[in-house]
Amino acid sequence: MKVSNMLLSTLREVPAEAETTSHQLMLRAGLIRKLAAGVYSFLPLGHRVLNKVENIIREEMNAEGAQEVLMSALLPAEAYQASGRWEVFGSDMFRLKDRNDRDFCLGPTHEEIFTDTVKACVKSYRQLPLTLYQIQTKYRDERRPRFGVMRSREFIMKDAYSFDMSQEGLDLSYEKMYRAYCKAFDRMNLDYIVVDADSGAMGGSGSQEFMVKSDTGEDTIAYCPACSYAANVEKAECIPEKMEKEAPKPMAKIHTPHAGTIEELVAFLNTDSKHFAKTILYQAGEKVVAVMVRGDREINEVKLINHLGINEQDLELASADTVVNVTNAAVGFAGPVGLSVPVIVDKEVMEMTNFIVGANETDYHFENVNVTDFTPAAVIDVRTIVEGDVCPKCGQPIKTTQGVEVGHIFKLGTKYTDALGCTYLDESGKPQSMIMGCYGIGVSRTIAAVIEQFSDENGIVWPVSVAPYQVLVVPVSMREEAQVKLADDIYEKLRAQGIEVLLDDRDERVGVKFKDADLIGIPVRITVGKKAGENIVEYKLRAGGEVIEISSDDAVCQAVKFIKDSLSSNK
Ligand code: ATP
Ligand code: MG
């Protein structure tokens, strides 16, 4: 492709709305263009990268025997109503009505539609097992679309669904997808980690997420450097810290004026937040519940949701009015003693003795409280793991890091097949529910994740496997005939060898061309300058390579070898 014929719109300025490196660079390199919050168009360079990523995923899915299909994004409501997710998705779902007032949505994910399709097409055990997938546009009206295609409202997902007859069959289908994902992400050179994930709300027996390590990641991962344990902090099990137990002292009310936060209390009483237990009120649907964790801990809302068996959007912090009504005190003085709503207590609180809690009276706390002074509705693990906690597997200290969730694999079980009556006839002619797995990759998000890991201060540094073009040929001056001719010659030779080449034939200053070259991050740059008459060119790798002067034929050979070697090294 010649740059003069191409839609290339690079920006020198960092767009104000873009906070993350990948978002900035995708806009600056002209890969995407924003249409509305969380809605983007892919421009030519971005579209080429998208195709590369899709094809890598497609090849690895096919290699594991999955079959590609394409479902509509415009979906009738019925299947989602049958599964209950018409309600569960709440305002995350884009809904619309047709001219006859029938309900439709734009598909946020397709479990129901695949289940319905397999129900219609598969009758007998002879047709199973089966894994189907698609690469398709999904719609979710995210509460906080941000970071460009990282969290958008329209995005491209590879979603796959397996249908098996036994748990062992599901385990095998899951293994295959695990393998396909590892191979696909390896081919993109991504540094990722596979973590145990929460499977609460979706039901099912197990799930793992593929996390690309990045400071901008919205997920926090707990991992153990000593053993193989790694989990999303939403899921990671917390082991209570052992605390020295004192003999119980009598509970007493203390005056703590204006000390309604842990920080204020710590300052006022000149003690450690570990000696407090905080009591937080939540609105869980119609109900109000209180949750208690040690003063220095955070409540894990995912664990709470799973315990309560409610939908994510049905949990929120209780309003100030509710807190005042329930505790008869100002916000900040809630405590478990004598509280009228159920108190869910974190396991670790059971290790505490003679601790401080709110007294349900403005400006008062109780000290020397013990777990015998109130009645928990439940004692569960309801806090979030932090660095330094012990590993639930081996007991060594846990570390945490940020990650971008690029993929999610999930053993679903029969939730959808039961709800939609997706059965097969077994060998004895008896109907049985199929056992499902589902497997997603955020295709557009993966592009952003690649850029988070492969960029420098000048722009993107594409791994060869996903680069929009593999080699860039830059004539320094379009007014020098020898340069134009040699650049063209190199361009044609590379094309003849199947290399994807971009020729920057714009009549621009070379500084501009080099800035764009670095920004769009093509792996190999061949510059044709003053020595064109002697057939000498400059060869440079975008990934930190030195500029070397070589003959134009050597440059062609070296580029071809580099591209082919890079493409085969991760296969
Ligand atoms: P998240 O927790 O990030 O919202 P999710 O758990 O809702 O993700 P899934 O329903 O498992 O995601 O979707 C499969 C994959 O689709 C995710 O692993 C992620 O890579 C991608 N994905 C999900 N939501 C978005 C989005 N709003 N924008 C871009 N990609 C997304
Ligand atoms: Mg989500």
Side-chain angles (χ1 to χ4, degrees):
M1 176 54 120
K2 297 187 174 170
V3 177
S4 62
N5 297 332
M6 187 175 145
L7 176 64
L8 175 68
S9 73
T10 53
L11 304 173
R12 291 283 167 264
E13 301 297 314
V14 177
E17 85 255 29
E19 296 166 60
T20 57
T21 305
S22 58
H23 190 191
Q24 290 170 0
L25 289 176
M26 287 184 83
L27 290 170
R28 286 188 53 211
L31 304 183
I32 55 170
R33 181 167 179 273
K34 180 176 165 181
L35 290 177
V39 184
Y40 291 87
S41 304
F42 278 83
L43 301 181
L45 281 182
H47 187 242
R48 287 183 69 93
V49 178
L50 186 62
N51 279 335
K52 294 259 173 109
V53 171
E54 286 186 7
N55 278 330
I56 289 175
I57 296 169
R58 184 174 279 123
E59 283 171 20
E60 298 305 335
M61 293 298 290
N62 292 347
E64 293 294 349
Q67 296 168 70
E68 186 167 4
V69 297
L70 181 60
M71 304 274 174
S72 172
L74 178 63
L75 303 171
E78 286 75 14
Y80 289 92
Q81 285 162 343
S83 73
R85 289 211 290 185
W86 187 255
E87 280 79 39
V88 169
F89 273 114
S91 22
D92 276 9
M93 190 184 247
F94 278 104
R95 295 157 204 268
L96 59 161
K97 286 189 187 286
D98 71 6
R99 63 172 71 215
N100 299 315
D101 216 30
R102 279 189 66 194
D103 283 316
F104 281 81
C105 69
L106 297 178
T109 172
H110 277 61
E111 280 76 8
E112 285 83 348
I113 308 307
F114 276 75
T115 307
D116 194 51
T117 305
V118 169
K119 176 186 173 179
C121 300
V122 173
K123 300 290 172 215
S124 152
Y125 70 94
R126 288 191 200 87
Q127 296 164 279
L128 294 174
L130 200 60
T131 297
L132 303 174
Y133 76 97
Q134 63 177 345
I135 296 175
Q136 189 246 21
T137 309
K138 296 282 184 275
Y139 297 87
R140 296 183 185 178
D141 198 356
E142 297 275 356
R143 192 188 295 265
R144 291 187 68 197
R146 57 185 187 154
F147 305 156
V149 297
M150 199 68 107
R151 180 169 301 284
S152 47
R153 298 196 296 168
E154 181 190 78
F155 59 98
I156 296 172
M157 197 201 283
K158 186 288 300 167
D159 48 327
Y161 307 87
S162 64
F163 296 84
D164 274 281
M165 295 176 283
S166 64
Q167 189 60 41
E168 298 73 53
L170 169 61
D171 291 347
L172 208 65
S173 299
Y174 184 92
E175 273 299 306
K176 288 182 176 178
M177 292 299 104
Y178 184 102
R179 211 157 48 215
Y181 279 34
C182 290
K183 287 194 176 155
F185 294 131
D186 285 344
R187 284 177 63 183
M188 299 173 209
N189 287 23
L190 282 168
D191 179 13
Y192 61 92
I193 128 168
V194 188
V195 307
D196 290 346
D198 173 60
S199 50
M202 288 273 274
S205 56
S207 111
Q208 286 166 299
E209 288 161 343
F210 286 71
M211 293 282 187
V212 168
K213 291 182 204 157
S214 161
D215 292 342
T216 60
E218 292 182 276
D219 285 271
T220 309
I221 302 158
Y223 68 97
C224 175
C227 73
S228 59
Y229 182 80
N232 193 314
V233 296
E234 289 179 345
K235 153 99 181 175
E237 184 192 343
C238 297
I239 307 295
E241 188 187 330
K242 291 267 171 285
M243 295 179 79
E244 214 172 297
K245 296 219 167 165
E246 298 171 3
K249 295 181 193 163
M251 185 172 93
K253 196 188 275 183
I254 48 174
H255 191 213
T256 51
H258 313 302
T261 67
I262 290 287
E263 293 72 35
E264 286 161 351
L265 262 178
V266 165
F268 182 76
L269 297 174
N270 193 22
T271 173
D272 194 314
S273 55
K274 285 186 180 182
H275 296 133
F276 300 93
K278 57 184 173 194
T279 306
I280 309 287
L281 268 59
Y282 278 93
Q283 189 75 48
E286 302 285 286
K287 273 178 34 181
V288 178
V289 296
V291 183
M292 235 178 126
V293 292
R294 205 171 76 182
D296 58 331
R297 302 302 197 185
E298 293 302 327
I299 293 171
N300 184 321
E301 294 185 353
V302 173
K303 291 179 182 174
L304 181 59
I305 286 166
N306 290 343
H307 170 73
L308 295 171
I310 59 174
N311 294 326
E312 195 183 327
Q313 59 259 48
D314 289 336
L315 186 80
E316 55 187 15
L317 284 173
S319 67
D321 282 352
T322 305
V323 174
V324 171
N325 276 338
V326 170
T327 64
N328 295 316
V331 173
F333 297 93
V337 182
L339 199 62
S340 59
V341 298
V343 186
I344 296 163
V345 178
D346 182 56
K347 274 181 178 173
E348 195 174 52
V349 173
M350 306 308 277
E351 296 289 319
M352 299 169 72
T353 48
N354 299 328
F355 50 97
I356 300 161
V357 301
N360 298 321
E361 186 177 335
T362 305
D363 290 345
Y364 285 92
H365 280 77
F366 285 127
E367 65 176 0
N368 296 330
V369 174
N370 286 285
V371 291
T372 46
D373 292 323
F374 56 93
T375 314
V379 177
I380 60 166
D381 168 18
V382 69
R383 73 174 173 96
T384 302
I385 201 164
V386 288
E387 200 150 299
D389 262 323
V390 298
C391 168
K393 209 165 150 194
C394 78
Q396 293 299 306
I398 279 286
K399 283 203 163 304
T400 59
T401 181
Q402 296 309 112
V404 174
E405 179 196 324
V406 287
H408 194 171
I409 55 178
F410 211 118
K411 291 182 186 172
L412 268 178
T414 57
K415 175 172 170 166
Y416 295 96
T417 50
D418 282 345
L420 297 164
C422 177
T423 59
Y424 66 97
L425 296 178
D426 70 11
E427 277 182 70
S428 58
K430 259 182 45 200
Q432 306 277 3
S433 282
M434 296 183 208
I435 302 177
M436 266 178 92
C438 68
Y439 318 89
I441 293 182
V443 179
S444 33
R445 179 183 288 183
T446 297
I447 297 174
V450 170
I451 297 173
E452 288 295 332
Q453 287 196 339
F454 297 96
S455 70
D456 62 17
E457 64 282 7
N458 298 318
I460 304 170
V461 186
W462 290 114
V464 172
S465 59
V466 296
Y469 288 90
Q470 296 160 338
V471 179
L472 173 67
V473 181
V474 185
V476 169
S477 166
M478 288 306 288
R479 292 160 196 204
E480 298 286 334
E481 202 179 318
Q483 291 184 25
V484 173
K485 211 165 146 293
L486 185 58
D488 216 49
D489 183 53
I490 295 170
Y491 173 68
E492 291 302 343
K493 281 186 174 144
L494 285 167
R495 273 161 49 101
Q497 300 223 39
I499 300 296
E500 297 167 3
V501 205
L502 203 53
L503 174 68
D504 194 347
D505 59 344
R506 292 175 298 173
D507 188 13
E508 282 282 2
R509 282 180 297 114
V510 71
V512 171
K513 293 187 183 184
F514 281 173
K515 276 221 152 51
D516 279 347
D518 281 350
L519 184 55
I520 65 175
I522 308 302
V524 180
R525 188 180 85 197
I526 299 174
T527 306
V528 183
K530 285 204 186 77
K531 295 190 181 166
E534 307 155 50
N535 270 345
I536 301 285
V537 298
E538 286 177 5
Y539 180 92
K540 182 179 178 296
L541 297 183
R542 176 67 182 87
E546 298 279 292
V547 175
I548 53 169
E549 283 199 346
I550 49 178
S551 76
S552 62
D553 283 347
D554 283 350
V556 170
C557 283
Q558 213 158 308
V560 172
K561 184 170 185 318
F562 174 77
I563 298 301
K564 300 226 155 127
D565 287 352
S566 305
L567 289 178
S568 59
S569 69
N570 278 331
K571 270 213 169 169

